[in-house]
Amino acid sequence: MTYADTSYTSRDLRRWVSDLVLSVPLRGHADPIEIAILIEHKSHRSRLLPFQLLTYVATGYRRQIKQRKKVSVIIPVVYFHGKHPWQLPQLTDYFPGLPEIFLPYIPVMAAEMLSLAEMSDAEINGITNGMLRAALLVQKNLNQNIIAIEELAKVINTLSKHTERNFSHQLFVYIFYAGNFNPEELTTFTNLIAPDMRTKNASFIDLALEKMQENAMKRERREGILEGESKGREKSRIEFAKRLLQRNLPIDDIADLTGLPEEQVRNISAEM
C-alpha cells in the first residue's frame, strides 16, 4: 500500500472534505485499486453526502483517465464527525415512489462510513500510515471544539519526514476551514510547526492570514454599521418620546409607543 500523492477534491468539494488516496495492490491482479480516505469537515449528517461522493468519484475517474491509460477502482472510506453511526443513503432513497422502470438510470453509490466518535486515541495512534493518523488526530481535536494549537502543531510536525507536499497542504486547508482560527492563533500555530513544513506551506499560510484579516475587517465594518444603525434608532425613539412628553402623555403610554423602558422615559422627562 502506497500513498498516491494525488487528490480528487474539486474546488467546490474542498469545504466539505479532505482526501488521502492510497494505492492498494490486489493479490492475483496486476492493477491496484485506490482507497480514497475522505475526512469530512461537517459535524452533522449531510443529506447531500451521496451526491457529493458521486461527484468526488466521478472527478477521480476523470483525472485518472487524463493522467494514465488504465483506471483504478476508487473505494470511498468516509471518516465523519457524527456521534452516532449511520449508513450512507442510497440515491434511490431520494426518489420515493419512482416507477421501477426508471431505477436503472439512478447510479449506485457505496462507501464505508466510520465515525471518529467511536474511535479512541489509542486506536488512531495505532494506524501505521502516518499521514492518515495525523489527519484523523487533527480532525478529532477540531471535532471536540478544542483549538489545541500545540497539539495540532505536534501532529503536523510528525509529517516532516514525509515529502508529499500535497498531503500536508490538505491538512493546512482542513485546519483553516474547520478550525476557526483567528489570525493571532494561526500565527502562533505556524510558529510552532517545523521550519520545513512552514516553508512547504508558506504561500497558503500567507493567503490564509490575508483572508482572515480581510474577513475580520469586513466583520468590524459590518458591526460598526449595525452599531450606527442601532444608535440612530435609539436617537429617533428618544426624540419621539420628547414630543410625546410635550403633549403630556402618560409615561407608560410613551414607553409602549416608543419601546423605551419607563425608567428611561422618566429620565428624559426630568432632563427637559
Side-chain angles (χ1 to χ4, degrees):
M1 181 174 65
T2 59
Y3 175 58
D5 196 16
T6 189
S7 172
Y8 297 145
T9 55
S10 64
R11 179 176 297 179
D12 292 337
L13 287 177
R14 283 176 195 145
R15 287 185 176 273
W16 165 69
V17 71
S18 295
D19 67 340
L20 172 63
V21 182
L22 303 174
S23 180
V24 182
L26 291 180
R27 186 177 299 172
H29 292 266
D31 299 322
I33 62 171
E34 289 188 345
I35 305 294
I37 308 295
L38 306 174
I39 312 297
E40 189 200 16
H41 292 181
K42 298 186 294 296
S43 59
H44 59 276
R45 298 184 183 185
S46 172
R47 291 187 68 255
L48 298 178
L49 181 57
F51 300 98
Q52 291 166 328
L53 284 176
L54 190 63
T55 300
Y56 175 85
V57 171
T59 300
Y61 287 132
R62 286 201 305 271
R63 292 188 184 175
Q64 287 181 1
I65 291 170
K66 185 177 180 180
Q67 294 168 1
R68 55 181 181 264
K69 293 181 180 179
K70 289 187 177 181
V71 295
S72 299
V73 173
I74 299 174
I75 299 178
V77 177
V78 180
Y79 283 92
F80 66 99
H81 287 208
K83 296 181 180 179
H84 306 288
W86 64 293
Q87 296 296 319
L88 179 72
Q90 291 300 306
L91 291 175
T92 51
D93 296 341
Y94 293 84
F95 305 94
L98 186 70
E100 189 172 347
I101 191 173
F102 296 111
L103 294 181
Y105 298 96
I106 300 176
V108 175
M109 189 67 252
E112 295 297 318
M113 305 292 293
L114 301 175
S115 173
L116 264 182
E118 297 184 342
M119 295 184 68
S120 66
D121 288 343
E123 288 177 307
I124 296 176
N125 284 314
I127 296 174
T128 57
N129 185 286
M131 289 172 287
L132 176 58
R133 182 173 65 249
L136 296 182
L137 286 172
V138 166
Q139 187 197 36
K140 192 165 187 181
N141 272 334
L142 295 177
N143 182 38
Q144 294 171 344
N145 294 322
I146 300 174
I147 305 302
I149 294 176
E150 293 184 2
E151 291 302 314
L152 292 177
K154 288 178 184 177
V155 172
I156 291 293
N157 287 338
T158 64
L159 297 176
S160 59
K161 62 182 179 180
H162 297 284
T163 58
E164 295 89 344
R165 179 184 181 279
N166 184 59
F167 178 72
S168 62
H169 177 73
Q170 289 177 54
L171 271 188
F172 270 89
V173 172
Y174 176 67
I175 290 171
F176 169 63
Y177 283 122
N180 293 319
F181 280 122
N182 60 41
E184 292 75 19
E185 289 169 334
L186 183 59
T187 299
T188 300
F189 172 71
T190 54
N191 287 336
L192 290 172
I193 63 176
D196 61 325
M197 298 298 287
R198 194 158 57 240
T199 301
K200 289 178 184 178
N201 296 278
S203 60
F204 175 77
I205 293 170
D206 290 342
L207 180 62
L209 282 170
E210 182 181 335
K211 188 68 175 177
M212 285 180 176
Q213 290 164 351
E214 179 184 327
N215 289 340
M217 290 177 63
K218 287 181 179 178
R219 186 165 54 251
E220 289 176 2
R221 285 198 297 268
R222 186 165 56 250
E223 290 173 354
I225 291 171
L226 292 175
E227 183 180 357
E229 291 176 347
S230 177
K231 288 181 178 179
R233 287 193 295 270
E234 177 78 3
K235 184 177 180 180
S236 296
R237 285 196 293 267
I238 291 172
E239 293 300 322
F240 186 34
K242 288 179 178 179
R243 291 198 297 272
L244 296 176
L245 284 167
Q246 290 172 350
R247 297 185 180 185
N248 297 319
L249 265 68
I251 296 293
D252 55 346
D253 287 347
I254 295 175
D256 289 339
L257 289 168
T258 61
L260 296 173
E262 289 187 15
E263 184 64 28
Q264 186 175 359
V265 175
R266 290 192 185 93
N267 291 337
I268 295 171
S269 177
E271 293 173 357
M272 291 177 62

